[in-house]
mmCIF file with all atom_site columns, all heavy atoms in Angstrom:
data_model
loop_
_atom_site.group_PDB
_atom_site.id
_atom_site.type_symbol
_atom_site.label_atom_id
_atom_site.label_alt_id
_atom_site.label_comp_id
_atom_site.label_asym_id
_atom_site.label_entity_id
_atom_site.label_seq_id
_atom_site.pdbx_PDB_ins_code
_atom_site.Cartn_x
_atom_site.Cartn_y
_atom_site.Cartn_z
_atom_site.occupancy
_atom_site.B_iso_or_equiv
_atom_site.pdbx_formal_charge
_atom_site.auth_seq_id
_atom_site.auth_comp_id
_atom_site.auth_asym_id
_atom_site.auth_atom_id
_atom_site.pdbx_PDB_model_num
ATOM 1   N N   . ALA A 1 85  ? 27.876 45.184 58.130 1.00 97.00 ? 189 ALA A N   1
ATOM 2   C CA  . ALA A 1 85  ? 27.881 43.825 58.685 1.00 97.00 ? 189 ALA A CA  1
ATOM 3   C C   . ALA A 1 85  ? 28.878 42.925 57.956 1.00 97.00 ? 189 ALA A C   1
ATOM 4   O O   . ALA A 1 85  ? 29.547 42.094 58.581 1.00 97.00 ? 189 ALA A O   1
ATOM 5   C CB  . ALA A 1 85  ? 26.482 43.227 58.624 1.00 97.00 ? 189 ALA A CB  1
ATOM 6   N N   . SER A 1 86  ? 29.017 43.110 56.646 1.00 97.00 ? 190 SER A N   1
ATOM 7   C CA  . SER A 1 86  ? 29.914 42.271 55.846 1.00 97.00 ? 190 SER A CA  1
ATOM 8   C C   . SER A 1 86  ? 31.390 42.605 56.057 1.00 97.00 ? 190 SER A C   1
ATOM 9   O O   . SER A 1 86  ? 32.247 41.841 55.645 1.00 97.00 ? 190 SER A O   1
ATOM 10  C CB  . SER A 1 86  ? 29.587 42.418 54.360 1.00 97.00 ? 190 SER A CB  1
ATOM 11  O OG  . SER A 1 86  ? 29.941 43.723 53.918 1.00 97.00 ? 190 SER A OG  1
ATOM 12  N N   . LYS A 1 87  ? 31.664 43.748 56.663 1.00 97.00 ? 191 LYS A N   1
ATOM 13  C CA  . LYS A 1 87  ? 33.030 44.271 56.827 1.00 97.00 ? 191 LYS A CA  1
ATOM 14  C C   . LYS A 1 87  ? 33.705 44.553 55.484 1.00 97.00 ? 191 LYS A C   1
ATOM 15  O O   . LYS A 1 87  ? 34.932 44.646 55.399 1.00 97.00 ? 191 LYS A O   1
ATOM 16  C CB  . LYS A 1 87  ? 33.878 43.320 57.675 1.00 97.00 ? 191 LYS A CB  1
ATOM 17  C CG  . LYS A 1 87  ? 33.364 43.165 59.099 1.00 97.00 ? 191 LYS A CG  1
ATOM 18  C CD  . LYS A 1 87  ? 34.268 42.275 59.913 1.00 97.00 ? 191 LYS A CD  1
ATOM 19  C CE  . LYS A 1 87  ? 33.890 42.114 61.342 1.00 97.00 ? 191 LYS A CE  1
ATOM 20  N NZ  . LYS A 1 87  ? 32.520 42.021 61.710 1.00 97.00 ? 191 LYS A NZ  1
ATOM 21  N N   . ASP A 1 88  ? 32.912 44.667 54.420 1.00 97.00 ? 192 ASP A N   1
ATOM 22  C CA  . ASP A 1 88  ? 33.417 44.920 53.067 1.00 97.00 ? 192 ASP A CA  1
ATOM 23  C C   . ASP A 1 88  ? 32.706 46.156 52.534 1.00 97.00 ? 192 ASP A C   1
ATOM 24  O O   . ASP A 1 88  ? 31.498 46.134 52.308 1.00 97.00 ? 192 ASP A O   1
ATOM 25  C CB  . ASP A 1 88  ? 33.137 43.701 52.188 1.00 97.00 ? 192 ASP A CB  1
ATOM 26  C CG  . ASP A 1 88  ? 33.619 43.862 50.751 1.00 97.00 ? 192 ASP A CG  1
ATOM 27  O OD1 . ASP A 1 88  ? 33.989 44.993 50.333 1.00 97.00 ? 192 ASP A OD1 1
ATOM 28  O OD2 . ASP A 1 88  ? 33.615 42.850 50.021 1.00 97.00 ? 192 ASP A OD2 1
ATOM 29  N N   . ARG A 1 89  ? 33.438 47.253 52.298 1.00 93.00 ? 193 ARG A N   1
ATOM 30  C CA  . ARG A 1 89  ? 32.803 48.497 51.853 1.00 93.00 ? 193 ARG A CA  1
ATOM 31  C C   . ARG A 1 89  ? 32.133 48.366 50.498 1.00 93.00 ? 193 ARG A C   1
ATOM 32  O O   . ARG A 1 89  ? 31.257 49.156 50.156 1.00 93.00 ? 193 ARG A O   1
ATOM 33  C CB  . ARG A 1 89  ? 33.796 49.664 51.862 1.00 93.00 ? 193 ARG A CB  1
ATOM 34  C CG  . ARG A 1 89  ? 34.827 49.623 50.782 1.00 93.00 ? 193 ARG A CG  1
ATOM 35  C CD  . ARG A 1 89  ? 35.722 50.865 50.823 1.00 93.00 ? 193 ARG A CD  1
ATOM 36  N NE  . ARG A 1 89  ? 36.681 50.824 49.758 1.00 93.00 ? 193 ARG A NE  1
ATOM 37  C CZ  . ARG A 1 89  ? 36.445 51.266 48.515 1.00 93.00 ? 193 ARG A CZ  1
ATOM 38  N NH1 . ARG A 1 89  ? 35.295 51.813 48.216 1.00 93.00 ? 193 ARG A NH1 1
ATOM 39  N NH2 . ARG A 1 89  ? 37.367 51.162 47.578 1.00 93.00 ? 193 ARG A NH2 1
ATOM 40  N N   . LEU A 1 90  ? 32.503 47.388 49.720 1.00 96.00 ? 194 LEU A N   1
ATOM 41  C CA  . LEU A 1 90  ? 31.889 47.174 48.408 1.00 96.00 ? 194 LEU A CA  1
ATOM 42  C C   . LEU A 1 90  ? 30.679 46.242 48.472 1.00 96.00 ? 194 LEU A C   1
ATOM 43  O O   . LEU A 1 90  ? 30.032 46.009 47.445 1.00 96.00 ? 194 LEU A O   1
ATOM 44  C CB  . LEU A 1 90  ? 32.921 46.619 47.422 1.00 96.00 ? 194 LEU A CB  1
ATOM 45  C CG  . LEU A 1 90  ? 34.136 47.516 47.184 1.00 96.00 ? 194 LEU A CG  1
ATOM 46  C CD1 . LEU A 1 90  ? 35.118 46.843 46.231 1.00 96.00 ? 194 LEU A CD1 1
ATOM 47  C CD2 . LEU A 1 90  ? 33.710 48.874 46.662 1.00 96.00 ? 194 LEU A CD2 1
ATOM 48  N N   . ALA A 1 91  ? 30.373 45.698 49.650 1.00 96.00 ? 195 ALA A N   1
ATOM 49  C CA  . ALA A 1 91  ? 29.267 44.750 49.783 1.00 96.00 ? 195 ALA A CA  1
ATOM 50  C C   . ALA A 1 91  ? 28.233 45.214 50.801 1.00 96.00 ? 195 ALA A C   1
ATOM 51  O O   . ALA A 1 91  ? 27.541 44.395 51.404 1.00 96.00 ? 195 ALA A O   1
ATOM 52  C CB  . ALA A 1 91  ? 29.818 43.372 50.166 1.00 96.00 ? 195 ALA A CB  1
ATOM 53  N N   . GLY A 1 92  ? 28.107 46.535 50.980 1.00 96.00 ? 196 GLY A N   1
ATOM 54  C CA  . GLY A 1 92  ? 27.121 47.057 51.926 1.00 96.00 ? 196 GLY A CA  1
ATOM 55  C C   . GLY A 1 92  ? 25.696 46.879 51.420 1.00 96.00 ? 196 GLY A C   1
ATOM 56  O O   . GLY A 1 92  ? 25.453 46.860 50.212 1.00 96.00 ? 196 GLY A O   1
ATOM 57  N N   . THR A 1 93  ? 24.777 46.749 52.355 1.00 97.00 ? 197 THR A N   1
ATOM 58  C CA  . THR A 1 93  ? 23.366 46.689 51.986 1.00 97.00 ? 197 THR A CA  1
ATOM 59  C C   . THR A 1 93  ? 22.911 48.083 51.567 1.00 97.00 ? 197 THR A C   1
ATOM 60  O O   . THR A 1 93  ? 23.623 49.081 51.796 1.00 97.00 ? 197 THR A O   1
ATOM 61  C CB  . THR A 1 93  ? 22.512 46.224 53.177 1.00 97.00 ? 197 THR A CB  1
ATOM 62  O OG1 . THR A 1 93  ? 22.586 47.240 54.202 1.00 97.00 ? 197 THR A OG1 1
ATOM 63  C CG2 . THR A 1 93  ? 22.980 44.882 53.732 1.00 97.00 ? 197 THR A CG2 1
ATOM 64  N N   . ALA A 1 94  ? 21.715 48.171 50.998 1.00 97.00 ? 198 ALA A N   1
ATOM 65  C CA  . ALA A 1 94  ? 21.173 49.480 50.609 1.00 97.00 ? 198 ALA A CA  1
ATOM 66  C C   . ALA A 1 94  ? 21.078 50.401 51.826 1.00 97.00 ? 198 ALA A C   1
ATOM 67  O O   . ALA A 1 94  ? 21.428 51.583 51.755 1.00 97.00 ? 198 ALA A O   1
ATOM 68  C CB  . ALA A 1 94  ? 19.817 49.318 49.937 1.00 97.00 ? 198 ALA A CB  1
ATOM 69  N N   . ALA A 1 95  ? 20.626 49.866 52.953 1.00 96.00 ? 199 ALA A N   1
ATOM 70  C CA  . ALA A 1 95  ? 20.495 50.677 54.171 1.00 96.00 ? 199 ALA A CA  1
ATOM 71  C C   . ALA A 1 95  ? 21.868 51.112 54.694 1.00 96.00 ? 199 ALA A C   1
ATOM 72  O O   . ALA A 1 95  ? 22.027 52.256 55.140 1.00 96.00 ? 199 ALA A O   1
ATOM 73  C CB  . ALA A 1 95  ? 19.736 49.899 55.245 1.00 96.00 ? 199 ALA A CB  1
ATOM 74  N N   . GLU A 1 96  ? 22.862 50.226 54.645 1.00 96.00 ? 200 GLU A N   1
ATOM 75  C CA  . GLU A 1 96  ? 24.203 50.577 55.108 1.00 96.00 ? 200 GLU A CA  1
ATOM 76  C C   . GLU A 1 96  ? 24.819 51.652 54.214 1.00 96.00 ? 200 GLU A C   1
ATOM 77  O O   . GLU A 1 96  ? 25.415 52.611 54.711 1.00 96.00 ? 200 GLU A O   1
ATOM 78  C CB  . GLU A 1 96  ? 25.093 49.332 55.118 1.00 96.00 ? 200 GLU A CB  1
ATOM 79  C CG  . GLU A 1 96  ? 24.741 48.349 56.218 1.00 96.00 ? 200 GLU A CG  1
ATOM 80  C CD  . GLU A 1 96  ? 25.448 47.016 56.068 1.00 96.00 ? 200 GLU A CD  1
ATOM 81  O OE1 . GLU A 1 96  ? 25.867 46.653 54.936 1.00 96.00 ? 200 GLU A OE1 1
ATOM 82  O OE2 . GLU A 1 96  ? 25.592 46.325 57.102 1.00 96.00 ? 200 GLU A OE2 1
ATOM 83  N N   . ASN A 1 97  ? 24.666 51.501 52.911 1.00 96.00 ? 201 ASN A N   1
ATOM 84  C CA  . ASN A 1 97  ? 25.194 52.507 51.982 1.00 96.00 ? 201 ASN A CA  1
ATOM 85  C C   . ASN A 1 97  ? 24.502 53.847 52.166 1.00 96.00 ? 201 ASN A C   1
ATOM 86  O O   . ASN A 1 97  ? 25.156 54.894 52.125 1.00 96.00 ? 201 ASN A O   1
ATOM 87  C CB  . ASN A 1 97  ? 25.063 52.020 50.538 1.00 96.00 ? 201 ASN A CB  1
ATOM 88  C CG  . ASN A 1 97  ? 26.124 51.001 50.187 1.00 96.00 ? 201 ASN A CG  1
ATOM 89  O OD1 . ASN A 1 97  ? 27.296 51.211 50.439 1.00 96.00 ? 201 ASN A OD1 1
ATOM 90  N ND2 . ASN A 1 97  ? 25.708 49.886 49.616 1.00 96.00 ? 201 ASN A ND2 1
ATOM 91  N N   . LYS A 1 98  ? 23.186 53.839 52.370 1.00 96.00 ? 202 LYS A N   1
ATOM 92  C CA  . LYS A 1 98  ? 22.441 55.087 52.578 1.00 96.00 ? 202 LYS A CA  1
ATOM 93  C C   . LYS A 1 98  ? 22.947 55.804 53.834 1.00 96.00 ? 202 LYS A C   1
ATOM 94  O O   . LYS A 1 98  ? 23.218 57.008 53.800 1.00 96.00 ? 202 LYS A O   1
ATOM 95  C CB  . LYS A 1 98  ? 20.946 54.803 52.698 1.00 96.00 ? 202 LYS A CB  1
ATOM 96  C CG  . LYS A 1 98  ? 20.120 56.045 52.911 1.00 96.00 ? 202 LYS A CG  1
ATOM 97  C CD  . LYS A 1 98  ? 18.637 55.724 53.000 1.00 96.00 ? 202 LYS A CD  1
ATOM 98  C CE  . LYS A 1 98  ? 17.832 57.000 53.227 1.00 96.00 ? 202 LYS A CE  1
ATOM 99  N NZ  . LYS A 1 98  ? 16.390 56.733 53.296 1.00 96.00 ? 202 LYS A NZ  1
ATOM 100 N N   . ALA A 1 99  ? 23.111 55.061 54.924 1.00 96.00 ? 203 ALA A N   1
ATOM 101 C CA  . ALA A 1 99  ? 23.591 55.671 56.177 1.00 96.00 ? 203 ALA A CA  1
ATOM 102 C C   . ALA A 1 99  ? 25.002 56.225 56.001 1.00 96.00 ? 203 ALA A C   1
ATOM 103 O O   . ALA A 1 99  ? 25.323 57.302 56.511 1.00 96.00 ? 203 ALA A O   1
ATOM 104 C CB  . ALA A 1 99  ? 23.549 54.654 57.317 1.00 96.00 ? 203 ALA A CB  1
ATOM 105 N N   . ALA A 1 100 ? 25.837 55.499 55.270 1.00 96.00 ? 204 ALA A N   1
ATOM 106 C CA  . ALA A 1 100 ? 27.218 55.948 55.060 1.00 96.00 ? 204 ALA A CA  1
ATOM 107 C C   . ALA A 1 100 ? 27.247 57.230 54.242 1.00 96.00 ? 204 ALA A C   1
ATOM 108 O O   . ALA A 1 100 ? 27.933 58.196 54.603 1.00 96.00 ? 204 ALA A O   1
ATOM 109 C CB  . ALA A 1 100 ? 28.033 54.853 54.371 1.00 96.00 ? 204 ALA A CB  1
ATOM 110 N N   . VAL A 1 101 ? 26.508 57.270 53.141 1.00 95.00 ? 205 VAL A N   1
ATOM 111 C CA  . VAL A 1 101 ? 26.527 58.436 52.253 1.00 95.00 ? 205 VAL A CA  1
ATOM 112 C C   . VAL A 1 101 ? 25.849 59.643 52.896 1.00 95.00 ? 205 VAL A C   1
ATOM 113 O O   . VAL A 1 101 ? 26.370 60.751 52.839 1.00 95.00 ? 205 VAL A O   1
ATOM 114 C CB  . VAL A 1 101 ? 25.869 58.093 50.896 1.00 95.00 ? 205 VAL A CB  1
ATOM 115 C CG1 . VAL A 1 101 ? 25.650 59.345 50.068 1.00 95.00 ? 205 VAL A CG1 1
ATOM 116 C CG2 . VAL A 1 101 ? 26.727 57.105 50.137 1.00 95.00 ? 205 VAL A CG2 1
ATOM 117 N N   . GLN A 1 102 ? 24.700 59.444 53.506 1.00 94.00 ? 206 GLN A N   1
ATOM 118 C CA  . GLN A 1 102 ? 23.992 60.568 54.112 1.00 94.00 ? 206 GLN A CA  1
ATOM 119 C C   . GLN A 1 102 ? 24.655 61.048 55.395 1.00 94.00 ? 206 GLN A C   1
ATOM 120 O O   . GLN A 1 102 ? 24.361 62.136 55.865 1.00 94.00 ? 206 GLN A O   1
ATOM 121 C CB  . GLN A 1 102 ? 22.530 60.199 54.369 1.00 94.00 ? 206 GLN A CB  1
ATOM 122 C CG  . GLN A 1 102 ? 21.741 60.058 53.093 1.00 94.00 ? 206 GLN A CG  1
ATOM 123 C CD  . GLN A 1 102 ? 20.270 59.736 53.317 1.00 94.00 ? 206 GLN A CD  1
ATOM 124 O OE1 . GLN A 1 102 ? 19.822 59.482 54.437 1.00 94.00 ? 206 GLN A OE1 1
ATOM 125 N NE2 . GLN A 1 102 ? 19.514 59.746 52.244 1.00 94.00 ? 206 GLN A NE2 1
ATOM 126 N N   . GLY A 1 103 ? 25.574 60.272 55.929 1.00 96.00 ? 207 GLY A N   1
ATOM 127 C CA  . GLY A 1 103 ? 26.241 60.636 57.175 1.00 96.00 ? 207 GLY A CA  1
ATOM 128 C C   . GLY A 1 103 ? 27.577 61.314 56.988 1.00 96.00 ? 207 GLY A C   1
ATOM 129 O O   . GLY A 1 103 ? 28.363 61.393 57.930 1.00 96.00 ? 207 GLY A O   1
#
Side-chain angles (χ1 to χ4, degrees):
S190 69
K191 297 183 177 38
D192 180 349
R193 72 177 182 86
L194 300 178
T197 66
E200 289 169 337
N201 283 311
K202 180 179 180 179
V205 170
Q206 290 182 353

